[in-house]
Amino acid sequence: MPQSPASPTAKPLTGPQRALRKLGLLRPIDLALHLPLRYEDETRLVKLRDVREGETAQVEGRVTHAEVKLGGHRQLLVTLDDGSGTCLLRFFTFYPSQQKALAVGNRIRVRGEIRGGFAGLTMMHPVVKLAGGELATALTPVYPTVAGLPQTYLRRAVQAGLARAELADTVPSQYLQAIGLHPSWDLRQALSFLHNPASDVLLDTLQDHSHPAWQRLKAEELLAQQLSQLQSRRARDQLRAPTLTGAGANSLFERLLAALPFQLTAAQQRVVGEISQDIARSIPMHRLLQGDVGAGKTVVAALAAAQCMDAGWQCALMAPTEILATQHFAKLVGWLQPLGVTVAWLTGSQKAKERRDMLALIASGQAALVVGTHALIQDKVQFQKLALAIIDEQHRFGVAQRLALRGKLGSQLQEPHLLMMTATPIPRTLAMSYYADLDVSTIDALPPGRTPIVTKVVNDARRDEVIARIRDQLVQGRQIYWVCPLIEENEALDLRNATEIHAQLRAALPGVLVGLLHSRMAPLEKKAVMSLFVGGQMGVLVSTTVIEVGVDVPNASLMVIEHAERFGLSQLHQLRGRVGRGAAASACVLLYATGDAPRLGEAARERLKAMVQSNDGFEIARRDLEIRGPGEFMGARQSGDAMLRFADVVTDAPLLDWARRLAPLMLDQHPAQAEQHVQRWLGSRTDYLKA
Ligand code: ADP
Ligand code: MG
């Protein structure tokens, strides 16, 4: 296979070149922006009496002992004496030439991490040189790398990139004062410094990124992110979408509103208004609707769909799982069919005939509303005139899938409006940074009449008490969820866990219908189990995490989560949100087991504590961000997205604020520099960011 698809005559890439490519280090500027993780100090020698365990040290001394130890692991043991102390050097692989260099009496210079232990100070596989050579004049950078790409190669490549990269300043210097940055720290200066810091710099300021050179880089990175998102928003503003204006008193919208068994909350009314205004414009909407679990997002989606259908266009609603899509379908049919709407239905598990019928309904435009899973974005699906795409639990979908749904509009000239829904609220700082290109609507209050869910953390040893509680709820006619975690990447084991609990509960609860739901079941089986639970015949539902999103059974009043310590915080909150949907008092029991450990780890304890202390999705999200940090929190957005490498939206909030303000100014007053800035920082990734 040719290594480079670019040109048949191109030379095959070497291993390190391939590795550079894998890291995305293609252009000189990419290399220049590949910044060190940390530095090693080869500018000085230290005395063994002064070194501390864990630090990397460079020492010179004389070899006083050397032996090859056999048995177990063959290893070369060398004792180094520098006059202030001794250190044991340990090598598990070594050549005869190395052995010679390490002979007794030789003076050598070694560098490596100091370890303690009962043999005294030790270094494993230190770098060995002859003593007396020149010392480095700058700190030695250590870069993030991958297998097959040695630091020395990477260092040379970075230095070459730095020399060749075009680094003219793009940020007008008058804007730098606001963040206290001296203009002398221009991009070139900052980068040269970070790749070759002077030996007298305070290492701490490099390590914690507080050094002005780092500030400059972080400010630039945040500015690139904000500019790119603002560009994509402005590009979108140039596109055209169907105008879906409201249609008076006898419209579907008004009739649906009148037929609902409840009144919209003030928060729902507000977001319905926001969406309604957006889709009545000829610019494609990109709006994120966030609201806690149970806040009532579905009805908001249904009203947006109604407005779309009133204008004579089709609407699609895509959900990440078959169960969730089924629920949406049932609910929307219940609301809209009586009003004369044909709702089509598309999933992967459909029979061929049904599927063909549905495709025909969609293509002819007879089905004004289409509900389904990923099946909606397959090639065969042709809408007659799609104007509004609604994506539930949007974080479950990748960028490519969102793009595909947008591409479903028949005409090249228009884009559909896009409404994305999420029950995982995004803390403000993250929303401002990562979702700056979206408009956000928030349902910030639950429908009335809900009693807050009481959450308890219970040791696994007390599960009998939990079962007693289940009996009690069953007597009151209530239903119960019991959720088991993914224990490991081993479906068979996970399944056994759920199956065992299912058996236990069946034995403990004679006469009660106890169901089991897991990911290995066929869609039809799943559907059958779900419908027994939704219909109320099934008292207890044992499940792996397949029920996580969106399921709505108001009569369920108790949620038991097995091995709660293994779940992430937002997932726990989502699961808990399955109960507390009716007027009855509801509870959530977080069962935990410490395994062989005496107690739970710090992070797990923090998560469970947060669950007990708060029922509020926004507060939970804030705590989650605190516990996990923004990188992981945003993990779901993943590849191609504007992940920040250097800046941290929480600790660098002032820089983010600055970037947010500067972005529109730059685009208006210095458009060429703005474009250059985005290209430099995001290069080939920008296409993806427009999704
Ligand atoms: P989520 O925001 O988690 O998707 P749902 O849309 O599933 O929430 O709504 C949860 C439940 O609340 C549903 O049973 C829904 O019919 C009900 N509901 C929605 N809005 C209201 C309201 N304004 N008053 C009373 N119940 C409501
Ligand atoms: Mg929902």
Side-chain angles (χ1 to χ4, degrees):
M1 206 177 81
Q3 303 283 11
S4 163
S7 129
T9 56
K11 280 207 212 111
L13 295 178
T14 62
Q17 283 171 331
R18 270 205 304 278
L20 283 181
R21 188 162 282 217
K22 191 154 136 202
L23 285 173
L25 304 179
L26 304 172
R27 311 169 300 169
I29 184 66
D30 299 326
L31 285 157
L33 291 176
H34 192 64
L35 293 180
L37 276 179
R38 57 189 174 83
Y39 300 89
E40 281 178 1
D41 189 352
E42 293 178 75
T43 64
R44 57 201 180 102
L45 295 167
V46 291
K47 285 294 177 193
L48 282 169
R49 94 167 85 76
D50 299 327
V51 301
R52 269 170 310 169
E53 220 178 292
E55 77 184 15
T56 299
Q58 181 163 252
V59 186
E60 266 186 18
R62 207 172 60 86
V63 176
T64 56
H65 181 84
E67 69 167 304
V68 174
K69 212 176 111 203
L70 301 169
H73 281 292
R74 194 174 103 95
Q75 46 180 303
L76 173 61
L77 298 176
V78 173
T79 307
L80 180 76
D81 187 331
D82 78 342
S84 79
T86 63
C87 180
L88 179 68
L89 316 179
R90 225 184 249 278
F91 301 84
F92 290 102
T93 52
F94 49 92
Y95 300 106
S97 60
Q98 280 170 306
Q99 226 172 317
K100 218 169 123 199
L102 292 164
V104 173
N106 285 1
R107 287 190 52 80
I108 54 171
R109 176 185 296 175
V110 296
R111 185 169 49 82
E113 189 185 321
I114 299 283
R115 303 200 189 174
F118 87 122
L121 298 179
T122 307
M123 283 189 195
M124 312 279 269
H125 283 269
V127 179
V128 180
K129 291 180 185 162
L130 279 181
E134 265 184 43
L135 289 168
T137 51
L139 296 174
T140 311
V142 179
Y143 293 99
T145 188
V146 291
L149 184 58
Q151 285 292 333
T152 42
Y153 185 97
L154 186 51
R155 259 177 225 143
R156 272 201 309 274
V158 166
Q159 293 296 345
L162 186 60
R164 282 175 48 214
E166 201 282 296
L167 293 174
D169 256 348
T170 43
V171 187
S173 57
Q174 69 266 31
Y175 299 125
L176 292 168
Q177 254 177 18
I179 42 172
L181 256 180
H182 194 272
S184 68
W185 284 107
D186 61 13
L187 182 62
R188 174 174 297 285
Q189 177 60 26
L191 283 174
S192 311
F193 180 84
L194 291 175
H195 289 297
N196 313 288
S199 55
D200 59 352
V201 67
L202 281 175
L203 257 181
D204 283 352
T205 64
L206 292 184
Q207 232 62 280
D208 70 8
H209 294 190
S210 63
H211 191 279
W214 267 118
Q215 293 291 317
R216 171 77 197 213
L217 266 289
K218 292 192 290 188
E220 290 228 352
E221 179 180 44
L222 287 164
L223 181 60
Q225 185 202 41
Q226 294 297 311
L227 279 173
S228 142
Q229 298 198 46
L230 191 58
Q231 276 179 333
S232 68
R233 171 186 282 265
R234 289 192 177 177
R236 209 167 62 228
D237 288 350
Q238 301 302 309
L239 299 173
R240 287 293 158 263
T243 50
L244 309 173
T245 36
N250 200 29
S251 62
L252 189 56
F253 182 95
E254 292 299 337
R255 285 184 294 141
L256 172 57
L257 207 50
L260 286 175
F262 48 74
Q263 287 251 301
L264 294 189
T265 63
Q268 284 170 319
Q269 279 172 24
R270 177 169 41 75
V271 302
V272 166
E274 287 164 0
I275 295 165
S276 169
Q277 277 190 4
D278 268 11
I279 61 179
R281 300 196 311 158
S282 60
I283 296 167
M285 168 175 79
H286 268 214
R287 190 171 275 279
L288 181 69
L289 171 59
Q290 53 176 6
D292 209 344
V293 254
K297 294 182 289 295
T298 317
V299 68
V300 173
L303 286 162
Q307 183 170 333
C308 169
M309 294 184 278
D310 276 330
W313 290 77
Q314 284 174 299
C315 171
L317 191 153
M318 180 161 79
T321 66
E322 183 126 4
I323 289 183
L324 192 51
T326 312
Q327 286 235 347
H328 281 321
F329 180 68
K331 193 154 248 172
L332 291 168
V333 165
W335 282 335
L336 292 166
Q337 199 151 285
L339 305 178
V341 176
T342 304
V343 186
W345 162 242
L346 268 187
T347 73
S349 69
Q350 235 158 6
K351 294 252 160 52
K353 158 128 187 25
E354 189 189 13
R355 189 177 169 72
R356 263 200 312 278
D357 294 348
M358 290 297 169
L359 288 176
L361 282 179
I362 298 166
S364 70
Q366 213 177 324
L369 178 58
V370 186
V371 180
T373 59
H374 301 82
L376 279 180
I377 52 176
Q378 281 157 6
D379 288 344
K380 293 224 180 80
V381 187
Q382 280 296 334
F383 287 87
Q384 197 228 359
K385 40 186 330 202
L386 179 67
L388 173 63
I390 305 176
I391 303 182
D392 197 14
E393 304 296 341
Q394 64 91 23
H395 56 283
R396 292 293 196 96
F397 292 98
V399 175
Q401 291 165 321
R402 293 203 295 260
L403 275 178
L405 191 56
R406 273 169 60 196
K408 283 291 172 193
L409 187 68
S411 146
Q412 299 297 311
L413 302 172
Q414 288 185 315
E415 288 252 322
H417 297 282
L418 191 57
L419 177 64
M420 295 175 271
M421 307 201 284
T422 181
T424 306
I426 298 146
R428 220 178 78 83
T429 37
L430 289 193
M432 284 187 334
S433 156
Y434 289 92
Y435 290 90
D437 57 334
L438 297 183
D439 294 305
V440 179
S441 287
T442 305
I443 306 183
D444 51 9
L446 297 180
R450 305 256 172 98
T451 18
I453 305 164
V454 177
T455 301
K456 288 223 156 70
V457 176
V458 176
N459 191 307
D460 190 46
R462 289 167 48 203
R463 58 205 291 139
D464 283 354
E465 294 166 39
V466 178
I467 292 175
R469 184 152 189 174
I470 290 183
R471 281 199 197 96
D472 183 52
Q473 290 298 302
L474 287 167
V475 168
Q476 296 177 39
R478 301 285 166 204
Q479 290 165 280
I480 294 94
Y481 292 101
W482 189 303
V483 178
C484 307
L486 285 172
I487 296 178
E488 39 199 303
E489 302 289 302
N490 179 336
E491 267 188 277
L493 269 187
D494 293 336
L495 187 54
R496 196 181 70 204
N497 182 42
T499 320
E500 270 167 18
I501 285 166
H502 179 232
Q504 264 176 29
L505 289 178
R506 272 178 42 166
L509 303 166
V512 177
L513 186 54
V514 180
L516 175 63
L517 196 66
H518 58 75
S519 52
R520 286 257 192 106
M521 286 162 60
L524 277 180
E525 267 182 282
K526 281 188 202 163
K527 213 183 259 178
V529 171
M530 253 345 267
S531 79
L532 281 173
F533 193 68
V534 172
Q537 297 98 311
M538 183 177 284
V540 182
L541 179 62
V542 178
S543 147
T544 55
T545 45
V546 286
I547 63 151
E548 182 191 340
V549 280
V551 181
D552 185 28
V553 180
N555 190 47
S557 61
L558 177 59
M559 164 67 67
V560 182
I561 303 178
E562 179 95 23
H563 277 305
E565 78 281 0
R566 297 188 180 171
F567 287 89
L569 193 45
S570 77
Q571 209 183 5
L572 286 174
H573 180 66
Q574 298 264 326
L575 285 168
R576 174 171 62 184
R578 300 303 116 222
V579 296
R581 302 192 148 221
S586 292
C588 174
V589 173
L590 303 173
L591 274 177
Y592 72 94
T594 59
D596 296 334
R599 60 207 220 119
L600 285 178
E602 178 75 26
R605 253 180 311 149
E606 282 300 315
R607 291 195 295 272
L608 299 185
K609 194 163 104 194
M611 284 292 290
V612 172
Q613 288 174 345
S614 178
N615 260 315
D616 172 355
F618 284 89
E619 173 61 17
I620 295 275
R622 207 185 54 70
R623 297 280 290 266
D624 199 18
L625 177 61
E626 236 171 55
I627 298 172
R628 289 201 288 164
E632 273 198 62
F633 187 93
M634 293 304 301
R637 259 207 131 183
Q638 289 209 353
S639 66
D641 281 324
M643 290 307 292
L644 296 166
R645 289 183 282 167
F646 308 130
D648 172 320
V649 292
V650 180
T651 53
D652 298 319
L655 293 181
L656 171 59
D657 213 43
W658 168 84
R660 257 163 41 88
R661 278 174 230 240
L662 183 52
L665 269 175
M666 282 269 292
L667 274 189
D668 291 338
Q669 291 169 24
H670 313 273
Q673 273 141 292
E675 180 55 32
Q676 197 187 352
H677 188 84
V678 171
Q679 280 306 322
R680 175 179 286 166
W681 275 90
L682 300 168
S684 53
R685 293 198 294 158
T686 46
D687 284 348
Y688 240 160
L689 297 178
K690 307 250 149 60

